[in-house]
Amino acid sequence: MRAVIVAAAVAFVISLFGTPVAIRVFTALKAGQPIRSLGLASNEGKNGTPAMGGVVFIVATLCAYVTGHVALTTLPERQIAQEKPTMTALVLLGLFVFCGVIGFVDDFLKVRQRNSDGLSAKGKLLGQAIVGGGFGIAALYVASTNGQAVASEHISFIRDIGWLNVGKVGSVIVFVFVITAMSNGVNLTDGLDGLATGASTLVLGAYALIGYWQYRHWCADETYARANDYCYQVRDPLEIAMIAAAAAGACLGFLWWNTSPARIFMGDVGSLGLGALIGGLAVATRTTLLSILIGGLFFIITTTWVIQIVSFRTTGRRVFRMVPLHHHFELAGWSEVNIVVRFWTVAGVCVAVGLGLFYSDFLAAVG
């Protein structure tokens, strides 16, 4: 637990005090976010606000991960099994960084061209597919420290579903889909000050708890496994908890500067990276289907966006005033702060229900 807390605290401090530095640097470089004129009250006065803030919490998470491993060296002998970086960390942090790079290219093009177009939708999807496919292959085909792969050949809910074996190739395809869907889900949610940052903090915090709980009831821990019939067959859960906690702490520190009125935006470098990391956490913890509930706000916003697109292209009618969904409520007269707080509430309820299901499965198994 010490390493997890240290990682979260270090990431929070770096992000909290590093973000003002990034604000000054991006302002000096004139790396302001071009805002489309959509007639939305939330867009007024935001043109030119520094973007690419996601760089701060990505760097903070990486630094915190290294610091967390330093803390691991002080743990009792039984707990040092994960002292060295693992394939799990390579996959999770790789997704975070490389999908962040795709977002950085998008943000850079927006700033350079002085418009909100950036990288094309096809370009983003292609980049996400390449990154997801590469790390999906690593997660399925490269064994980690104990000979077990990071991802599973089964579709998972709270753990692997035995009869849903899709094979390695199928699992790589599922991996790419999860990473792409979650990455774009967070990206769509990032439209109001602090909305995606706060929701991501809640989801990442949930995965820090799940990872640590799995570590305490891990099949690879012979002391626990010998005395109990139920354990979690996952790879490197302490790594998972440490990375999730570090990312949550980094987002919380960034949120101080990202709440309304935001002094900096996370940009696509932040939203695409965060979504990819959350998708990777879902696969690594064997909670792929449960992540739909834990990240319920992202799922709702993505689903309503799909409904709007399909409805308009097939019937010419719009179901919502505007998508993503938060803009629908903005046009309905809700203030930006009201929307963000209420959407955070929805995200929190989804996280709480998801964690409740996760824990109830454990109670049912050991009871």
Side-chain angles (χ1 to χ4, degrees):
M1 189 65 175
R2 183 186 308 170
V4 176
I5 294 174
V6 167
V10 169
F12 172 77
V13 171
I14 293 175
S15 187
L16 180 65
F17 293 102
T19 302
V21 176
I23 292 173
R24 291 193 292 270
V25 170
F26 289 139
T27 299
L29 294 174
K30 297 182 179 180
Q33 175 73 54
I35 304 293
R36 286 186 297 172
S37 179
L38 298 174
L40 298 170
S42 63
N43 286 346
E44 294 179 4
K46 293 185 179 180
N47 196 46
T49 300
M52 306 186 205
V55 171
V56 178
F57 53 72
I58 290 176
V59 171
T61 301
L62 294 174
C63 293
Y65 172 75
V66 174
T67 307
H69 268 278
V70 173
L72 275 178
T73 61
T74 65
L75 292 176
E77 186 67 28
R78 185 180 68 84
Q79 296 177 307
I80 303 184
Q82 295 174 306
E83 181 180 336
K84 296 181 179 180
T86 62
M87 180 57 65
T88 303
L90 177 64
V91 169
L92 294 178
L93 294 176
L95 288 169
F96 198 16
V97 171
F98 282 94
C99 280
V101 169
I102 296 171
F104 183 85
V105 172
D106 183 51
D107 291 333
F108 178 78
L109 291 175
K110 290 176 183 177
V111 171
R112 184 176 182 180
Q113 298 168 1
R114 299 299 175 188
N115 61 53
S116 58
D117 293 336
L119 195 63
S120 68
K122 290 182 179 179
K124 286 184 186 178
L125 288 173
L126 178 60
Q128 290 166 329
I130 292 173
V131 172
F135 284 103
I137 291 171
L140 265 299
Y141 287 88
V142 181
S144 194
T145 49
N146 70 342
Q148 181 181 349
V150 176
S152 169
E153 296 181 30
H154 296 79
I155 303 296
S156 60
F157 179 52
I158 296 175
R159 42 188 166 146
D160 284 344
I161 302 173
W163 55 272
L164 272 179
N165 188 324
V166 295
K168 287 187 176 181
V169 174
S171 290
V172 171
I173 294 172
V174 170
F175 188 94
V176 172
F177 176 79
V178 171
I179 299 306
T180 302
M182 194 66 76
S183 185
N184 286 306
V186 177
N187 185 241
L188 288 172
T189 305
D190 182 34
L192 298 179
D193 293 351
L195 178 55
T197 309
S200 296
T201 302
L202 292 169
V203 174
L204 289 165
Y207 272 110
L209 291 173
I210 288 173
Y212 188 72
W213 186 261
Q214 291 179 333
Y215 171 65
R216 298 302 300 173
H217 306 87
W218 190 21
C219 293
D221 184 344
E222 296 181 359
T223 304
Y224 176 84
R226 280 198 302 265
N228 298 274
D229 295 328
Y230 184 85
C231 59
Y232 294 98
Q233 193 71 28
V234 296
R235 183 59 248 156
D236 308 317
L238 186 57
E239 292 278 84
I240 293 169
M242 202 159 43
I243 291 169
C251 285
L252 190 61
F254 181 77
L255 186 60
W256 182 273
W257 307 99
N258 185 232
T259 48
S260 183
R263 293 185 56 189
I264 188 170
F265 300 141
M266 71 164 66
D268 280 13
V269 60
S271 59
L272 295 183
L274 281 174
L277 174 60
I278 292 170
L281 289 168
V283 173
T285 56
R286 310 294 195 265
T287 58
T288 303
L289 296 180
L290 185 64
S291 69
I292 296 173
L293 180 54
I294 294 176
L297 179 64
F298 306 139
F299 177 75
I300 292 168
I301 288 176
T302 303
T303 301
T304 53
W305 181 82
V306 171
I307 291 172
Q308 180 88 324
I309 298 299
V310 172
S311 175
F312 185 75
R313 289 184 177 179
T314 56
T315 68
R317 297 180 179 179
R318 291 181 172 87
V319 178
F320 307 96
R321 290 181 174 91
M322 184 182 289
V323 289
L325 187 61
H326 37 273
H327 293 321
H328 167 83
F329 289 103
E330 192 172 1
L331 291 177
W334 293 20
S335 70
E336 180 177 13
V337 173
N338 277 340
I339 296 170
V340 170
V341 171
R342 289 168 181 172
F343 275 40
W344 281 353
T345 303
V346 172
V349 170
C350 291
V351 164
V353 174
L355 287 175
L357 285 175
F358 178 83
Y359 186 60
S360 64
D361 174 77
F362 177 80
L363 289 180
V366 299

